[in-house]
């Protein structure tokens, strides 16, 4: 079930990158071929890219598919590897927790202020709330990884901790 949810998240994050590409393409064609503009193209691409990044971080965090350097990790004995994995995950969880908190405050301020895009007047708080949710999911997945690390006496693969 978790793999299915992660595949869905990956698909949606990929779709957001596709939306960024499509909006950029249409905007360029309109500007240079028809001397016109796509309304809110800049704001919409920023929001779609933010969604793709936030939810992509959640998937990469869970699957440990982010860039790491494991030179020191490989030289450590199993107990040292486990400790390094634990510390790396704790630091990552703390960072993502603080980032979630800061992003939630930003989304709430945008809701209160009624901030919207310049031309179409689309409220931006919903985009920011969805990005916040993506980072919160990443934080929860790191904490689940900590729980899994505690359950097993084995080290997790070298790609599990941040650099």
């Amino acid at each position: 079930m978790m793999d299915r949810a992660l595949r869905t998240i990956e698909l949606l994050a990929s779709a957001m990158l596709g939306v960024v590409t499509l909006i950029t393409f249409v905007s360029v064609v309109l500007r240079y071929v028809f001397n016109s503009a796509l309304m809110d193209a800049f704001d919409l691409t920023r929001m779609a890219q933010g969604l793709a990044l936030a939810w992509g971080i959640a998937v990469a965090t869970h699957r440990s598919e982010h860039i790491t350097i494991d030179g020191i990790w490989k030289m450590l004995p199993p107990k040292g590897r486990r400790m390094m994995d634990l510390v790396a995950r704790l630091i990552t969880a703390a960072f993502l927790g603080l980032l979630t908190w800061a992003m939630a405050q930003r989304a709430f301020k945008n809701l209160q202020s009624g901030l919207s895009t310049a031309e179409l007047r689309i409220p931006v708080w919903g985009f920011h709330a969805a990005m916040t949710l993506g980072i919160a999911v990443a934080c929860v997945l790191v904490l689940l990884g900590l729980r899994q690390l505690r359950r097993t006496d084995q080290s997790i693969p070298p790609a599990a901790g941040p650099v």
Side-chain angles (χ1 to χ4, degrees):
M1 185 163 129
M2 180 66 103
D3 282 339
R4 186 175 180 195
L6 290 170
R7 277 193 300 268
T8 302
I9 291 170
E10 281 178 335
L11 181 65
L12 293 174
S14 300
M16 286 298 108
L17 288 178
V19 166
V20 170
T21 305
L22 181 65
I23 291 172
T24 303
F25 175 77
V26 169
S27 180
V28 168
V29 168
L30 285 174
R31 183 180 308 130
Y32 293 110
V33 176
F34 298 104
N35 198 25
S36 183
L38 182 63
M39 292 194 294
D40 282 336
F42 178 72
D43 287 331
L44 293 174
T45 55
R46 282 189 321 151
M47 298 303 165
Q49 188 174 19
L51 288 168
L53 287 171
W55 287 94
I57 287 171
V59 173
T61 300
H62 178 70
R63 294 204 174 147
S64 298
E65 293 177 345
H66 44 298
I67 298 171
T68 60
I69 299 172
D70 61 352
I72 296 172
W73 189 90
K74 284 186 176 187
M75 294 187 299
L76 293 174
K79 191 172 184 175
R81 289 178 179 184
R82 189 171 188 276
M83 186 57 70
M84 189 175 200
D85 292 339
L86 181 66
V87 169
R89 283 190 179 262
L90 285 171
I91 291 170
T92 303
F95 170 77
L96 290 173
L98 288 171
L99 184 58
T100 300
W101 179 71
M103 289 176 70
Q105 284 187 324
R106 175 76 182 255
F108 185 68
K109 284 180 184 176
N110 289 338
L111 172 63
Q112 286 181 322
S113 70
L115 183 65
S116 61
T117 61
E119 297 163 330
L120 297 175
R121 296 286 180 217
I122 300 169
V124 299
W125 74 267
F127 291 102
H128 287 172
M131 289 178 226
T132 302
L133 183 60
I135 297 299
V137 167
C139 186
V140 169
L141 291 173
V142 169
L143 294 173
L144 288 174
L146 272 172
R147 197 175 108 201
Q148 180 182 5
L149 185 61
R150 278 185 41 197
R151 280 189 191 165
T152 64
D153 250 359
Q154 305 169 4
S155 259
I156 48 183
V163 179

